[in-house]
Coordinates of all heavy atoms in Angstrom, one line a residue:
I460 N 108.1 -22.4 33.3 CA 107.2 -21.9 34.3 C 107.9 -20.9 35.2 O 108.8 -21.4 36.0 CB 106.5 -23.0 35.1 CG1 105.8 -24.0 34.2 CG2 105.5 -22.4 36.1 CD1 105.3 -25.3 35.0
V461 N 107.6 -19.7 35.1 CA 108.3 -18.6 35.8 C 107.5 -18.3 37.0 O 106.3 -17.9 36.9 CB 108.6 -17.4 35.0 CG1 109.3 -16.3 35.8 CG2 109.4 -17.8 33.8
Q462 N 108.0 -18.4 38.2 CA 107.3 -18.1 39.5 C 107.9 -16.9 40.1 O 109.1 -16.9 40.5 CB 107.3 -19.3 40.4 CG 106.4 -19.1 41.6 CD 106.3 -20.4 42.4 OE1 107.0 -21.4 42.1 NE2 105.4 -20.4 43.4
I463 N 107.1 -15.8 40.3 CA 107.5 -14.6 41.0 C 106.9 -14.7 42.4 O 105.7 -14.7 42.6 CB 107.0 -13.3 40.3 CG1 107.3 -13.4 38.8 CG2 107.5 -12.1 41.0 CD1 108.8 -13.4 38.6
F464 N 107.8 -14.7 43.4 CA 107.3 -14.9 44.8 C 106.8 -13.6 45.5 O 107.1 -12.5 45.0 CB 108.5 -15.5 45.6 CG 108.9 -16.8 45.2 CD1 110.1 -17.0 44.4 CD2 108.2 -18.0 45.5 CE1 110.5 -18.2 43.9 CE2 108.6 -19.2 45.0 CZ 109.8 -19.3 44.2
R465 N 106.1 -13.8 46.5 CA 105.5 -12.7 47.3 C 106.4 -12.4 48.5 O 107.0 -13.3 49.1 CB 104.1 -13.0 47.7 CG 103.4 -11.9 48.5 CD 102.0 -12.4 48.9 NE 101.3 -11.4 49.7 CZ 100.5 -10.5 49.2 NH1 100.4 -10.4 47.9 NH2 99.9 -9.6 49.9
V466 N 106.5 -11.1 48.9 CA 107.2 -10.8 50.1 C 106.5 -11.4 51.3 O 105.3 -11.6 51.3 CB 107.4 -9.3 50.2 CG1 108.2 -8.7 49.1 CG2 106.0 -8.6 50.3
G467 N 107.2 -11.5 52.4 CA 106.6 -12.1 53.6 C 105.6 -11.1 54.2 O 105.6 -9.9 54.0
D468 N 104.7 -11.7 55.0 CA 103.7 -10.9 55.7 C 104.1 -10.4 57.1 O 103.4 -9.7 57.7 CB 102.4 -11.8 55.9 CG 101.8 -12.1 54.5 OD1 101.9 -11.3 53.6 OD2 101.2 -13.2 54.4
I469 N 105.3 -10.9 57.6 CA 105.7 -10.5 58.9 C 106.4 -9.1 58.8 O 107.3 -8.8 58.0 CB 106.7 -11.5 59.4 CG1 106.1 -12.9 59.6 CG2 107.3 -11.0 60.8 CD1 107.0 -13.9 60.0
L470 N 106.0 -8.2 59.7 CA 106.6 -6.8 59.8 C 107.7 -6.9 60.7 O 107.6 -6.8 61.9 CB 105.5 -5.8 60.2 CG 104.2 -5.7 59.4 CD1 103.2 -4.8 60.1 CD2 104.6 -5.2 58.0
K471 N 108.9 -7.1 60.2 CA 110.1 -7.3 61.0 C 110.6 -6.2 61.8 O 111.2 -6.3 62.8 CB 111.2 -7.8 60.1 CG 110.9 -9.2 59.4 CD 112.1 -9.7 58.6 CE 111.8 -11.0 57.9 NZ 112.9 -11.5 57.1
N472 N 110.2 -5.0 61.4 CA 110.7 -3.8 62.1 C 109.5 -3.2 62.9 O 109.3 -2.0 62.9 CB 111.3 -2.7 61.2 CG 110.2 -2.1 60.3 OD1 109.3 -2.8 59.9 ND2 110.4 -0.9 59.9
S473 N 108.7 -4.0 63.5 CA 107.5 -3.6 64.3 C 107.5 -4.1 65.7 O 108.1 -5.1 66.0 CB 106.3 -4.0 63.5 OG 106.1 -5.4 63.5
V474 N 106.7 -3.4 66.5 CA 106.4 -3.9 67.9 C 104.9 -3.6 68.0 O 104.3 -2.8 67.3 CB 107.2 -3.1 68.9 CG1 108.6 -3.5 68.9 CG2 107.1 -1.6 68.8
Q475 N 104.3 -4.4 68.9 CA 102.8 -4.2 69.2 C 102.6 -4.0 70.6 O 103.3 -4.4 71.5 CB 102.1 -5.5 68.7 CG 102.2 -5.8 67.2 CD 101.4 -7.0 66.9 OE1 100.5 -7.4 67.5 NE2 101.8 -7.7 65.8
I476 N 101.4 -3.3 70.9 CA 101.0 -3.1 72.3 C 99.4 -3.3 72.2 O 98.8 -2.8 71.3 CB 101.4 -1.7 72.8 CG1 101.0 -1.6 74.3 CG2 100.8 -0.6 72.0 CD1 101.6 -0.4 75.0
S477 N 98.9 -4.0 73.2 CA 97.5 -4.2 73.3 C 97.0 -4.3 74.7 O 97.8 -4.2 75.6 CB 97.1 -5.5 72.5 OG 97.8 -6.6 73.2
G478 N 95.7 -4.4 74.9 CA 95.1 -4.5 76.2 C 94.2 -3.4 76.5 O 94.2 -2.3 75.9
N479 N 93.3 -3.5 77.5 CA 92.3 -2.5 77.9 C 92.9 -1.4 78.8 O 92.2 -0.5 79.2 CB 91.1 -3.2 78.6 CG 90.3 -4.0 77.6 OD1 90.2 -3.7 76.5 ND2 89.8 -5.1 78.1
G480 N 94.2 -1.6 79.1 CA 94.8 -0.6 80.0 C 95.4 0.6 79.3 O 96.0 1.5 79.9
I481 N 95.4 0.6 77.9 CA 95.9 1.7 77.1 C 94.9 2.2 76.2 O 93.8 1.6 76.0 CB 97.2 1.3 76.3 CG1 96.8 0.1 75.4 CG2 98.3 0.9 77.2 CD1 97.8 -0.3 74.4
Y482 N 95.1 3.4 75.7 CA 94.1 4.1 74.8 C 94.1 3.6 73.4 O 93.1 3.3 72.8 CB 94.3 5.6 74.8 CG 93.8 6.3 76.1 CD1 94.7 6.7 77.1 CD2 92.5 6.4 76.3 CE1 94.3 7.3 78.2 CE2 92.0 7.1 77.5 CZ 92.9 7.5 78.4 OH 92.5 8.1 79.6
H483 N 95.3 3.5 72.8 CA 95.3 3.2 71.3 C 96.3 2.1 71.1 O 97.5 2.3 70.7 CB 95.7 4.4 70.5 CG 94.9 5.6 70.8 ND1 93.5 5.7 70.6 CD2 95.2 6.8 71.4 CE1 93.1 6.9 70.9 NE2 94.1 7.5 71.5
G484 N 95.8 0.8 71.2 CA 96.7 -0.3 70.9 C 96.9 -0.5 69.4 O 96.2 0.1 68.6
G485 N 97.9 -1.2 69.0 CA 98.2 -1.5 67.6 C 99.6 -1.8 67.4 O 100.4 -2.2 68.3
T486 N 100.0 -1.7 66.1 CA 101.4 -2.0 65.6 C 102.1 -0.7 65.4 O 101.6 0.3 64.8 CB 101.3 -2.8 64.3 OG1 100.6 -4.0 64.6 CG2 102.7 -3.1 63.9
F487 N 103.4 -0.6 65.9 CA 104.2 0.6 65.8 C 105.5 0.2 65.2 O 106.0 -0.9 65.3 CB 104.3 1.3 67.1 CG 103.0 1.8 67.7 CD1 102.2 0.9 68.4 CD2 102.6 3.1 67.5 CE1 101.0 1.4 68.9 CE2 101.5 3.6 68.0 CZ 100.6 2.7 68.7
A488 N 106.2 1.2 64.6 CA 107.5 1.0 64.0 C 108.6 0.9 65.2 O 108.6 1.7 66.1 CB 107.9 2.1 63.1
W489 N 109.4 -0.1 65.1 CA 110.5 -0.3 66.0 C 111.7 0.5 65.6 O 112.0 0.7 64.4 CB 110.9 -1.7 66.1 CG 112.1 -2.0 67.0 CD1 112.2 -2.1 68.3 CD2 113.5 -2.1 66.5 NE1 113.5 -2.3 68.8 CE2 114.3 -2.2 67.6 CE3 114.1 -2.0 65.3 CZ2 115.7 -2.4 67.6 CZ3 115.4 -2.1 65.2 CH2 116.2 -2.3 66.3
R490 N 112.4 1.1 66.5 CA 113.6 1.8 66.3 C 114.6 1.5 67.3 O 114.3 1.1 68.5 CB 113.4 3.3 66.2 CG 112.8 3.9 67.5 CD 112.5 5.4 67.4 NE 112.0 5.9 68.6 CZ 110.7 5.9 69.0 NH1 109.8 5.4 68.2 NH2 110.3 6.4 70.2
P491 N 115.9 1.5 67.0 CA 116.9 1.2 68.0 C 116.8 2.1 69.2 O 116.6 3.3 69.1 CB 118.2 1.4 67.2 CG 117.8 1.3 65.7 CD 116.4 1.8 65.6
G492 N 117.0 1.5 70.4 CA 117.0 2.2 71.6 C 115.6 2.4 72.1 O 115.4 3.2 73.1
M493 N 114.6 1.8 71.5 CA 113.2 2.0 71.9 C 112.9 1.3 73.2 O 113.3 0.1 73.3 CB 112.3 1.6 70.8 CG 110.8 2.0 71.0 SD 109.8 1.4 69.6 CE 108.3 2.3 69.9
H494 N 112.2 1.9 74.2 CA 111.9 1.3 75.5 C 110.4 1.1 75.6 O 109.6 1.7 74.9 CB 112.5 2.1 76.7 CG 114.0 2.0 76.8 ND1 114.8 2.7 75.9 CD2 114.8 1.3 77.6 CE1 116.1 2.4 76.2 NE2 116.1 1.6 77.3
A495 N 110.0 0.3 76.7 CA 108.6 0.1 76.9 C 107.8 1.4 77.2 O 106.7 1.6 76.7 CB 108.4 -0.9 78.1
S496 N 108.5 2.3 77.9 CA 107.8 3.6 78.2 C 107.6 4.4 76.9 O 106.5 5.1 76.8 CB 108.7 4.4 79.1 OG 110.0 4.7 78.6
D497 N 108.5 4.3 75.9 CA 108.3 5.0 74.6 C 107.1 4.5 73.9 O 106.3 5.2 73.4 CB 109.5 4.8 73.8 CG 110.8 5.4 74.4 OD1 110.6 6.4 75.1 OD2 111.9 4.9 74.2
L498 N 106.9 3.1 73.9 CA 105.8 2.5 73.2 C 104.5 2.9 73.9 O 103.5 3.1 73.2 CB 106.0 1.0 73.1 CG 104.9 0.2 72.4 CD1 104.7 0.7 71.0 CD2 105.2 -1.3 72.4
I499 N 104.5 2.9 75.2 CA 103.2 3.2 75.9 C 102.8 4.7 75.6 O 101.6 5.0 75.4 CB 103.4 3.0 77.5 CG1 103.6 1.5 77.7 CG2 102.3 3.6 78.2 CD1 104.0 1.2 79.2
R500 N 103.8 5.6 75.6 CA 103.4 7.0 75.2 C 102.9 7.1 73.8 O 101.9 7.8 73.6 CB 104.7 7.9 75.4 CG 105.0 8.3 76.9 CD 106.0 9.4 77.0 NE 107.3 8.9 76.4 CZ 108.2 8.4 77.2 NH1 108.0 8.1 78.5 NH2 109.4 8.0 76.7
E501 N 103.5 6.4 72.9 CA 103.0 6.4 71.5 C 101.6 5.8 71.3 O 100.9 6.2 70.4 CB 104.0 5.7 70.5 CG 105.3 6.4 70.4 CD 106.2 5.7 69.4 OE1 105.7 4.9 68.6 OE2 107.5 5.9 69.5
A502 N 101.3 4.9 72.2 CA 99.9 4.3 72.2 C 98.9 5.2 73.0 O 97.8 4.7 73.2 CB 100.0 2.9 72.8
G503 N 99.2 6.4 73.3 CA 98.3 7.3 74.0 C 98.3 7.3 75.5 O 97.6 8.0 76.2
G504 N 99.3 6.5 76.1 CA 99.4 6.5 77.5 C 98.4 5.5 78.2 O 97.7 4.8 77.5
L505 N 98.5 5.4 79.5 CA 97.7 4.5 80.3 C 96.4 5.0 80.6 O 96.2 6.2 80.9 CB 98.5 4.1 81.6 CG 99.8 3.4 81.4 CD1 100.5 3.3 82.8 CD2 99.7 2.1 80.8
K506 N 95.4 4.2 80.7 CA 94.1 4.6 81.1 C 94.1 4.7 82.7 O 94.9 4.0 83.3 CB 93.0 3.6 80.7 CG 92.7 3.6 79.2 CD 91.6 2.6 78.8 CE 91.3 2.6 77.3 NZ 90.3 1.6 77.0
P507 N 93.1 5.4 83.3 CA 93.1 5.5 84.7 C 93.0 4.2 85.4 O 93.4 4.0 86.6 CB 91.9 6.5 85.0 CG 91.8 7.3 83.7 CD 92.2 6.3 82.6
D508 N 92.2 3.2 84.8 CA 92.0 2.0 85.4 C 93.0 0.9 85.1 O 92.8 -0.3 85.3 CB 90.6 1.4 85.1 CG 90.4 1.2 83.6 OD1 91.2 1.7 82.9 OD2 89.4 0.6 83.3
A509 N 94.2 1.3 84.4 CA 95.2 0.3 84.1 C 95.8 -0.3 85.3 O 96.0 0.3 86.3 CB 96.3 1.1 83.3
Y510 N 96.0 -1.6 85.2 CA 96.6 -2.3 86.3 C 98.1 -2.1 86.2 O 98.8 -2.5 85.2 CB 96.3 -3.8 86.2 CG 96.8 -4.6 87.4 CD1 96.2 -4.5 88.6 CD2 97.8 -5.5 87.2 CE1 96.6 -5.2 89.7 CE2 98.3 -6.3 88.3 CZ 97.7 -6.1 89.5 OH 98.1 -6.8 90.6
L511 N 98.7 -1.5 87.2 CA 100.1 -1.0 87.2 C 101.1 -2.0 87.8 O 102.3 -1.9 87.6 CB 100.2 0.3 87.9 CG 99.3 1.5 87.5 CD1 99.5 2.7 88.3 CD2 99.6 1.8 86.0
E512 N 100.6 -3.1 88.4 CA 101.5 -4.0 89.1 C 102.2 -5.0 88.2 O 103.2 -5.5 88.6 CB 100.8 -4.7 90.2 CG 100.0 -3.8 91.2 CD 101.0 -2.8 91.9 OE1 102.1 -3.2 92.3 OE2 100.6 -1.6 92.0
R513 N 101.6 -5.3 87.1 CA 102.2 -6.3 86.2 C 101.7 -6.1 84.7 O 100.6 -5.7 84.5 CB 101.7 -7.7 86.6 CG 102.2 -8.8 85.7 CD 101.7 -10.2 86.2 NE 102.3 -10.6 87.4 CZ 103.4 -11.4 87.4 NH1 104.0 -11.8 86.3 NH2 104.0 -11.7 88.5
A514 N 102.6 -6.3 83.8 CA 102.4 -6.3 82.4 C 103.2 -7.4 81.8 O 104.2 -7.9 82.5 CB 102.6 -5.0 81.7
L515 N 102.9 -7.9 80.6 CA 103.7 -8.9 79.9 C 104.3 -8.4 78.7 O 103.7 -7.6 77.9 CB 102.7 -10.1 79.6 CG 102.2 -10.9 80.8 CD1 101.3 -12.0 80.3 CD2 103.3 -11.5 81.7
V516 N 105.5 -8.9 78.4 CA 106.1 -8.7 77.1 C 106.4 -10.0 76.5 O 106.9 -10.9 77.1 CB 107.4 -7.8 77.2 CG1 108.4 -8.5 78.1 CG2 108.0 -7.6 75.8
I517 N 105.9 -10.2 75.3 CA 106.0 -11.5 74.5 C 107.1 -11.2 73.5 O 106.9 -10.4 72.6 CB 104.7 -11.9 73.9 CG1 103.7 -12.1 75.0 CG2 104.9 -13.2 73.1 CD1 102.3 -12.4 74.5
R518 N 108.2 -12.0 73.6 CA 109.4 -11.8 72.7 C 109.5 -12.9 71.8 O 109.5 -14.1 72.2 CB 110.6 -11.6 73.6 CG 111.9 -11.3 72.9 CD 112.8 -10.5 73.8 NE 112.4 -9.2 74.0 CZ 112.9 -8.3 74.9 NH1 113.9 -8.7 75.7 NH2 112.5 -7.1 75.0
T519 N 109.8 -12.6 70.5 CA 110.0 -13.6 69.5 C 111.5 -13.7 69.1 O 112.0 -12.7 68.6 CB 109.2 -13.3 68.2 OG1 107.8 -13.2 68.6 CG2 109.3 -14.4 67.2
D520 N 112.1 -14.8 69.3 CA 113.5 -15.0 69.0 C 113.7 -15.2 67.5 O 112.7 -15.4 66.8 CB 114.1 -16.2 69.8 CG 114.1 -16.0 71.3 OD1 114.0 -14.8 71.7 OD2 114.1 -17.0 72.0
E521 N 115.0 -15.2 67.1 CA 115.2 -15.3 65.7 C 114.8 -16.7 65.2 O 114.5 -16.9 64.0 CB 116.7 -15.1 65.4 CG 117.2 -13.7 65.6 CD 118.6 -13.5 65.3 OE1 119.3 -14.5 64.9 OE2 119.2 -12.4 65.4
D522 N 114.8 -17.7 66.0 CA 114.4 -19.1 65.6 C 112.9 -19.3 65.8 O 112.4 -20.4 65.8 CB 115.2 -20.1 66.4 CG 115.0 -20.0 67.9 OD1 114.2 -19.0 68.3 OD2 115.5 -20.8 68.7
R523 N 112.2 -18.2 66.0 CA 110.7 -18.1 66.1 C 110.2 -18.7 67.4 O 109.0 -18.9 67.5 CB 110.0 -18.9 64.9 CG 110.6 -18.6 63.5 CD 110.6 -17.1 63.2 NE 109.3 -16.5 63.2 CZ 109.0 -15.2 63.2 NH1 110.0 -14.4 63.2 NH2 107.8 -14.8 63.2
V524 N 111.0 -18.9 68.3 CA 110.6 -19.3 69.7 C 110.0 -18.1 70.4 O 110.7 -17.0 70.4 CB 111.7 -20.0 70.5 CG1 111.3 -20.3 71.9 CG2 112.2 -21.3 69.8
R525 N 108.9 -18.2 71.0 CA 108.2 -17.1 71.7 C 108.4 -17.3 73.2 O 108.1 -18.3 73.7 CB 106.8 -16.9 71.3 CG 106.6 -16.5 69.8 CD 105.2 -16.7 69.3 NE 104.2 -16.0 70.0 CZ 103.8 -14.8 69.8 NH1 104.4 -14.1 68.8 NH2 102.9 -14.2 70.5
R526 N 108.8 -16.2 73.8 CA 109.0 -16.2 75.3 C 108.2 -15.1 75.9 O 107.8 -14.1 75.3 CB 110.5 -16.0 75.6 CG 111.4 -17.0 74.9 CD 112.9 -16.7 75.2 NE 113.8 -17.5 74.4 CZ 114.1 -18.7 74.7 NH1 113.6 -19.3 75.8 NH2 114.9 -19.4 73.9
S527 N 107.9 -15.3 77.2 CA 107.1 -14.3 78.0 C 107.9 -13.8 79.2 O 108.6 -14.6 79.9 CB 105.8 -14.9 78.4 OG 105.1 -14.0 79.3
A528 N 107.8 -12.5 79.5 CA 108.4 -11.9 80.6 C 107.5 -10.9 81.2 O 106.7 -10.2 80.5 CB 109.8 -11.3 80.3
A529 N 107.5 -10.7 82.6 CA 106.7 -9.7 83.2 C 107.5 -8.5 83.7 O 108.7 -8.6 83.9 CB 106.0 -10.4 84.4
F530 N 106.8 -7.4 83.8 CA 107.5 -6.2 84.3 C 106.4 -5.3 85.0 O 105.2 -5.5 84.8 CB 108.2 -5.4 83.2 CG 107.3 -4.8 82.2 CD1 106.9 -3.5 82.2 CD2 106.9 -5.6 81.1 CE1 106.1 -3.0 81.3 CE2 106.1 -5.1 80.1 CZ 105.7 -3.8 80.2
H531 N 106.9 -4.3 85.9 CA 106.0 -3.4 86.6 C 105.7 -2.2 85.7 O 106.6 -1.4 85.4 CB 106.7 -3.0 87.9 CG 105.7 -2.3 88.9 ND1 105.3 -1.1 88.7 CD2 105.2 -2.8 90.0 CE1 104.5 -0.7 89.7 NE2 104.4 -1.8 90.5
V532 N 104.4 -2.0 85.4 CA 104.0 -1.0 84.5 C 104.3 0.4 85.1 O 104.8 1.3 84.4 CB 102.5 -1.1 84.0 CG1 102.1 0.0 83.1 CG2 102.3 -2.5 83.4
G533 N 103.9 0.6 86.3 CA 104.1 1.9 87.0 C 105.5 2.3 87.0 O 105.8 3.5 86.6
R534 N 106.5 1.4 87.3 CA 107.9 1.8 87.3 C 108.4 2.0 85.9 O 109.3 2.9 85.6 CB 108.7 0.8 88.1 CG 108.4 0.8 89.6 CD 109.5 0.1 90.3 NE 109.5 -1.4 90.1 CZ 108.8 -2.3 90.8 NH1 108.1 -1.9 91.8 NH2 108.9 -3.6 90.5

Side-chain angles (χ1 to χ4, degrees):
I460 302 174
V461 180
Q462 188 172 7
I463 309 297
F464 297 101
R465 182 184 178 87
V466 296
D468 295 329
I469 299 176
L470 303 175
K471 296 183 179 180
N472 67 328
S473 66
V474 289
Q475 295 183 25
I476 185 169
S477 61
N479 293 324
I481 57 171
Y482 283 105
H483 308 296
T486 302
F487 296 83
W489 172 85
R490 57 183 182 274
M493 189 178 193
H494 289 76
S496 58
D497 299 327
L498 181 57
I499 293 172
R500 279 193 296 271
E501 292 183 18
L505 299 174
K506 292 182 179 179
D508 61 346
Y510 186 72
L511 303 179
E512 305 301 320
R513 175 184 287 268
L515 293 179
V516 59
I517 301 172
R518 180 155 287 171
T519 303
D520 296 339
E521 293 183 359
D522 57 0
R523 314 306 298 168
V524 174
R525 290 164 62 85
R526 307 178 187 277
S527 173
F530 65 96
H531 193 283
V532 179
R534 290 197 292 266

